[in-house]
């Protein structure tokens, strides 16, 4: 059985070997090598054809030919007058393909290029090159008086960017039969060259030598009379509340908002709160207009024709829905006042810099984020109001507006100012309230002519001491910030009339505020104050200061410096030459405490009771003033040795002076003395004391 199994296995192996031999023989040639068939590439496309300036000296720029793969044609239009006799093309063809001819060639006539694929198949392309011009511009469009029923030539305005042509014909012109003279680019042609009806806009098609085309739209209008222009306003605004009766009104001057000159020409037009939504282009024909006010309407667009109002001096577009100002606004070269308040304007056109007569530019409450650099051209500008916009920065060119007197940047998102702001020599008003300043802008401290400054409603924590440079300041508003203190240098602002420090975190005020004797309004509400210097209280008592403070804030017990400044603030009109850093006539000891005050002939009318806080005062000279009394508190100054108060209006002296056992001299000459207290007389040397009392004859002690 095992032998039979082995036999079957041998037979099976024999068959397998025979089968493998047959397969091997069928896959081999007689020489024993494998048969491989090679397939060659059939691609023969010409994918690009160009004349590069780098390879062709006659060309200034590269020229890319157009390939028509269906027709197997290639066309190249080269610049006019380009020689065609010796051009070198740059050609891209299929991989493994070849092309003939190659190199430089004469393209005066069509040239056949043959592309041969790897497999030997071919494809031919016919290449045509020409040097025809593509210029197709209307260079001039004029209605000649010799060809039309007009008295003088009318030159149309060509806007090459928009491909529009506009012209305004004289009053009464028949626009249905007009013959323009049209000048074109060399070798170009135009489709219309006869009399045309310009009642509606017409398209002129200009064809270049190379066959390319350009279309210009021509719009012709006629000059309207004054009445027709007003009618155009009514026609454009069917919902207006204007009550003009143009049919039955002979004198236009009696119409509401209309002012004419002696010739009946409109020179002022006021259309305020009249529910206007459209300002028609005919408005540009009021060429003698000097004032235009369309305040508080619903105007969304200002026509380009606004630029025709060359005599305009005043223009108000405020309280409308305007988003864009046309560049033609820059043609109003006589404009002095431009009011754009309360619109939706996002930017001012660069051409606004042409308005070199403009004195007032008011653009409050818009969406402005940046000024054009050309604003430097507003060399006559005095007032610039940009409040309540979206400015995060102000361009340095504002610093070139040397005639600027008022700059309002209130209600923006400013955190810094350009240093050039500090170079405005005539600026008197600066409002930067309601912005995002974290620090006091040091740039403003060089504005020495500033009289009004508001930096309220920011996040300022300190006031720079350089604020003292603003010596002409009359109004200073620093409310609604994060101030903890106020520098004593604020006392140098001696012309200040209004000062607001409310809604801060101030814990104390410097007594130097007492030097501000012109101050008539001081607001310090809603701070962390519990008391204020006595010098400020005296401003309220004797200088008609309107002091707004919290009820719990009282006058503090004065410091030595506060007492001195209180003498100043308690005497309106004094001629003391004192200031923050200078107390002329006052001597101090090594500890900085006053020991002598000489204030003769300084127009003093009172000495404050708080003088007794000057505990080391030894000498007080107040001769030749207007004193009617001396304070009783002088009796508390044990250090006092000399008091001279001659030439005043004293009738007596307080008995408390009798407590001054160190007093050696009391001069009261040239006063209307009626009596001397016994307590004072007892201090005289004649009574065993040390006092020498000087009075006029008959006015001394009994």
């Amino acid at each position: 059985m095992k032998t039979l199994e082995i036999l079957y296995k041998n037979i099976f192996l024999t068959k397998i070997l025979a089968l493998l031999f047959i397969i091997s023989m069928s896959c081999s040639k007689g020489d024993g090598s494998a048969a491989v068939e090679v397939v060659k590439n059939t691609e023969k496309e010409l994918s690009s054809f160009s004349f590069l300036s780098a390879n062709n000296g006659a060309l200034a720029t590269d020229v890319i030919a157009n390939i028509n793969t269906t027709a197997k044609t290639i066309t190249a239009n080269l610049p006019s007058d380009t020689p065609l006799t010796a051009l070198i093309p740059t050609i891209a063809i299929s991989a493994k393909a070849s092309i003939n001819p190659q190199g430089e060639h004469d393209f005066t006539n069509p040239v056949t290029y043959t592309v041969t694929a790897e497999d030997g198949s071919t494809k031919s392309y016919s290449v045509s090159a020409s040097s025809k011009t593509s210029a197709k511009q209307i260079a001039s469009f004029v209605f000649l008086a010799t060809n039309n029923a007009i008295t003088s030539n009318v030159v149309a305005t060509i806007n090459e960017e928009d491909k529009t042509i506009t012209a305004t014909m004289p009053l009464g012109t028949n626009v249905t039969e007009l013959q323009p003279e049209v000048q074109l680019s060399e070798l170009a042609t135009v489709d219309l060259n006869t009399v045309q009806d310009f009642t509606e806009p017409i398209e002129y098609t200009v064809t270049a030598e190379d066959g390319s085309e350009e279309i210009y739209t021509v719009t012709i209008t006629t000059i309207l009379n004054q009445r027709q222009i007003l009618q155009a306003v009514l026609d454009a605004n069917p919902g207006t509340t204007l009550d003009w009766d143009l049919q039955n009104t002979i004198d236009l001057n009696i119409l509401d908002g209309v002012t004419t000159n002696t010739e009946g020409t409109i020179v002022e037009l006021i259309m305020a709160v009249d529910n206007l939504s459209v300002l028609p282009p005919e408005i540009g024909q009021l060429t003698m207009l000097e004032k235009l006010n369309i305040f508080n309407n619903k105007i969304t667009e200002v026509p380009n024709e606004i630029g025709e109002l060359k005599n305009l001096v005043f223009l108000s577009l405020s309280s409308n829905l305007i988003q864009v100002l046309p560049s033609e606004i820059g043609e109003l070269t006589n404009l002095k006042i431009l009011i754009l308040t309360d619109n939706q304007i996002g930017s001012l056109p660069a051409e606004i810099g042409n308005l070199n007569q403009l004195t007032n530019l008011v653009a409050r409450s818009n969406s402005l984020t940046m000024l054009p650099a050309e604003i430097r051209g507003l060399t006559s500008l005095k007032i610039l109001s940009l409040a309540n916009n979206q400015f995060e920065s102000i361009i340095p060119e504002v610093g070139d507006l040397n005639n600027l007197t008022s700059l309002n940047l209130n209600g923006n998102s400013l955190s810094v100012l350009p240093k050039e702001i500090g170079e405005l020599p005539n600026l008197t008003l600066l409002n930067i309230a309601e912005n995002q300043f974290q620090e006091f802008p040091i740039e403003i401290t060089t504005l020495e002519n500033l009289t009004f400054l508001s930096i309220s409603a920011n996040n300022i924590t300190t006031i720079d001491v350089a604020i003292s440079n603003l010596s002409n300041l009359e109004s200073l508003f620093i409310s609604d910030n994060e101030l903890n203190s106020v520098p004593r240098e604020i006392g140098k602002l001696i012309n200040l009339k209004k000062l607001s420090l409310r809604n801060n975190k101030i814990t104390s005020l410097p007594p130097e505020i007492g030097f501000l004797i012109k101050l008539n309004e001081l607001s310090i509400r809603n701070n962390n104050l519990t008391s204020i210097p006595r010098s400020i209280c005296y401003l309220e008592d004797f200088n008609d200061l309107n002091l707004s403070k919290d009820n719990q804030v009282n006058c503090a017990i004065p410091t030595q410096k506060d007492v001195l400044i209180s003498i100043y603030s308690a005497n309106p009109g004094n001629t003391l030459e004192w200031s923050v850093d200078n107390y002329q006539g006052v001597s101090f000891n090594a500890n900085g405490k006053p020991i002598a005050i000489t204030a003769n002939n300084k127009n003093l009318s009172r000495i404050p009771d708080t003088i007794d806080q000057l505990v080391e005062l030894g000498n007080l000279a107040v001769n030749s003033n207007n004193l009617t009394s001396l304070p009783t508190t002088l009796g508390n100054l044990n250090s006092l040795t000399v008091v001279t108060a001659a030439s005043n209006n004293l009738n007596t002296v307080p008995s408390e002076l009798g407590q001054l056992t160190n007093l050696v001299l009391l001069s009261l000459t040239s006063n209307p003395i009626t009596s001397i207290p016994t307590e004072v007389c007892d201090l005289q040397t004649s009574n065993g004391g040390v006092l020498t009392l000087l009075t006029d004859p008959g006015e001394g002690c009994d």
Side-chain angles (χ1 to χ4, degrees), residues 314-333:
F314 177 97
L315 174 59
S316 176
L317 304 171
S318 61
S319 298
N320 281 281
L321 303 172
I322 300 167
Q323 296 184 358
V324 177
L325 283 181
S327 60
E328 286 77 7
I329 204 86
E331 298 174 15
L332 306 178
T333 53

Side-chain angles (χ1 to χ4, degrees), residues 533-598:
R534 186 76 58 164
S535 61
I536 297 177
C537 295
Y538 286 164
L539 286 179
E540 182 181 28
D541 294 341
F542 304 117
N543 289 269
D544 297 322
L545 173 65
N546 181 5
L547 177 60
S548 175
K549 62 182 181 62
D550 297 326
N551 292 332
Q552 77 275 11
V553 176
N554 299 306
C555 299
I557 297 174
T559 62
Q560 301 266 306
K561 183 177 291 186
D562 190 12
V563 172
L564 281 178
I565 300 173
S566 293
I567 297 174
Y568 190 97
S569 63
N571 288 278
N574 73 76
T575 58
L576 291 166
E577 297 176 13
W578 293 357
S579 64
V580 171
D581 299 312
N582 179 35
Y583 294 87
Q584 186 172 348
V586 180
S587 299
F588 298 87
N589 62 18
N591 296 321
K593 294 182 178 181
I595 56 175
I597 297 176
T598 301

Side-chain angles (χ1 to χ4, degrees), residues 574-578 584-586 597-604 619-627 642-648 667:
N574 73 76
T575 58
L576 291 166
E577 297 176 13
W578 293 357
Q584 186 172 348
V586 180
I597 297 176
T598 301
N600 298 321
N601 194 25
K602 297 301 181 182
N603 199 31
L604 302 182
N619 192 322
L620 176 62
V622 288
N623 302 295
S624 301
N625 284 289
N626 302 311
L627 299 174
V642 176
V643 175
T644 59
S647 300
N648 280 281
S667 176

